[in-house]
Amino acid sequence: MKKICLSIICLLFVFSFNHIKAVCNDEDLNEFATKIEANFIESTSVHAESTGYAYFLSVTPLRDDIKIKVIDNKDNSAWGQDYEYSFYQADKNNNLEKVTKSLYGVGCYNNLEEETYKIEVYGGDNSKCKNELLKTISYTVPRYNRMVKYAFCEKYPEHELCKIYTDKTKTMTEKQFKETMEKYDEEETNKLKNQLTLVERLLIYSLYVIVPFVIATIIYMIKVKNYKKFEGAQ
């Protein structure tokens, strides 16, 4: 009996010192945590006057009772915060207008090589699980693409070799990059020429169809008008 009592006392003693990290008992918040994903936001068009960051890391979906902590390869960490940044975009009249947006996340600077971040999601101060770790996400940002400085990337920013952050050009020399983009440029130019040729053919064909139709319509209207005059005169 004494042994049983001693065992119970020991267990209670152990539990009392292992209660440092509580478990989140908010079912809604736990369910939400299973859907959280890392969110990468480029800020190449963001002006230095606003943030100066190259990109932001955040999570989606967002809610106001969570907070995030981001840790990089060097074990530098930063807590998420609200940012306000501005950029310019074309309006419906193709004029540039300044747009201001807000986002919640961690601002990051350019990484010349691949960088892996650990994003930790915690319960916010206004949640039932304050400061409790809900989920950890690993997110890798590819290396900075040194090829974006070339004119080809200004002309074809949508090309996979012209993304700001990509590993596609990691093993490419400048010569290989230029040769690849020159070939792509030639293909796109030929596509445009073919499209123009098709439009020209359609226009020529339309002239053969529309012009005779217009002439026939005019002749018909003149005949109808003359017939009405003739009928009116009788």
Side-chain angles (χ1 to χ4, degrees), residues 24-26 29 65 124 126-130 132:
C24 178
N25 293 316
D26 186 333
L29 203 53
D65 57 353
N126 58 337
S127 73
K128 294 180 182 178
C129 302
K130 181 179 177 180
E132 293 301 322

Side-chain angles (χ1 to χ4, degrees), residues 21-166:
K21 190 175 185 302
V23 177
C24 178
N25 293 316
D26 186 333
E27 186 176 343
D28 176 57
L29 203 53
N30 281 323
E31 176 65 24
F32 166 78
T34 64
K35 303 173 184 175
I36 295 175
E37 295 180 348
N39 190 25
F40 175 86
I41 306 168
E42 278 188 28
S43 58
T44 53
S45 56
V46 176
H47 289 248
E49 64 191 64
S50 304
T51 64
Y53 294 111
Y55 55 87
F56 297 92
L57 290 176
S58 184
V59 293
T60 53
L62 268 178
R63 50 193 282 174
D64 60 6
D65 57 353
I66 65 167
K67 57 184 180 180
I68 67 170
K69 184 180 183 181
V70 177
I71 305 168
D72 64 18
N73 289 345
K74 309 173 194 67
D75 290 331
N76 295 319
S77 62
W79 284 97
Q81 57 182 296
D82 292 315
Y83 294 93
E84 188 173 272
Y85 65 100
S86 300
F87 59 94
Y88 290 87
Q89 69 178 17
D91 60 17
K92 60 182 180 180
N93 297 319
N94 213 28
N95 297 317
L96 289 178
E97 61 178 0
K98 190 174 183 179
V99 179
T100 301
K101 287 189 176 183
S102 297
L103 67 85
Y104 170 74
V106 174
C108 306
Y109 298 102
N110 263 336
N111 48 288
L112 297 179
E113 296 300 329
E114 182 182 278
E115 183 116 32
T116 298
Y117 295 88
K118 183 168 69 174
I119 304 173
E120 297 177 340
V121 184
Y122 292 84
D125 294 338
N126 58 337
S127 73
K128 294 180 182 178
C129 302
K130 181 179 177 180
N131 297 329
E132 293 301 322
L133 181 61
L134 302 174
K135 187 173 185 177
T136 300
I137 307 168
S138 180
Y139 189 90
T140 300
V141 178
R143 68 199 299 275
Y144 176 75
N145 182 15
R146 68 190 187 282
M147 302 300 183
V148 295
K149 63 183 179 180
Y150 290 103
F152 283 118
C153 286
E154 291 183 12
K155 188 174 182 180
Y156 302 111
E158 75 287 349
H159 196 281
E160 64 176 1
L161 299 183
C162 290
K163 291 181 179 179
I164 303 285
Y165 300 95
T166 179

